[in-house]
């Protein structure tokens, strides 16, 4: 979700219906700052990076054993 604040209006952009609904709810309830403070996107990125590292380690271990 991208947030853009102009002089007197907020604008939101998303290409997903679910994300659009979440963006709408957050906007209506004025919860954008609280949501941003959760650092959800950063923690998700860290989790995905960690999972990718685990997958790569397992793959490398299998390749090493098969040689």
């Amino acid at each position: 979700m991208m947030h853009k604040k102009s002089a007197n209006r907020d604008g939101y952009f998303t290409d997903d219906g679910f994300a659009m609904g979440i963006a709408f709810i957050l906007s209506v309830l004025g919860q954008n700052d609280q949501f941003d403070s959760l650092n959800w996107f950063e923690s998700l990125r860290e989790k995905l990076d960690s999972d990718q590292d685990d997958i790569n380690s397992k793959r490398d271990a299998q390749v090493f054993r098969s040689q």
Side-chain angles (χ1 to χ4, degrees):
M1 171 175 62
M2 293 175 49
H3 178 254
K4 181 178 181 182
K5 190 166 192 159
S6 61
N8 58 1
R9 294 182 48 185
D10 287 339
Y12 298 91
F13 171 79
T14 181
D15 61 351
D16 182 313
F18 178 75
M20 185 177 291
I22 296 297
F24 175 76
I25 296 291
L26 291 172
S27 176
V28 167
L29 297 177
Q31 299 295 310
N32 288 315
D33 292 336
Q34 289 83 353
F35 178 76
D36 289 340
S37 72
L38 294 174
N39 299 317
W40 186 83
F41 292 105
E42 291 84 4
S43 63
L44 180 62
R45 172 57 48 202
E46 289 172 10
K47 169 73 169 123
L48 292 175
D49 289 343
S50 174
D51 289 351
Q52 187 65 48
D53 291 342
D54 290 343
I55 290 169
N56 291 340
S57 297
K58 290 176 183 176
R59 185 195 64 220
D60 293 345
Q62 286 178 342
V63 169
F64 180 72
R65 277 188 247 143
S66 66
Q67 291 179 351

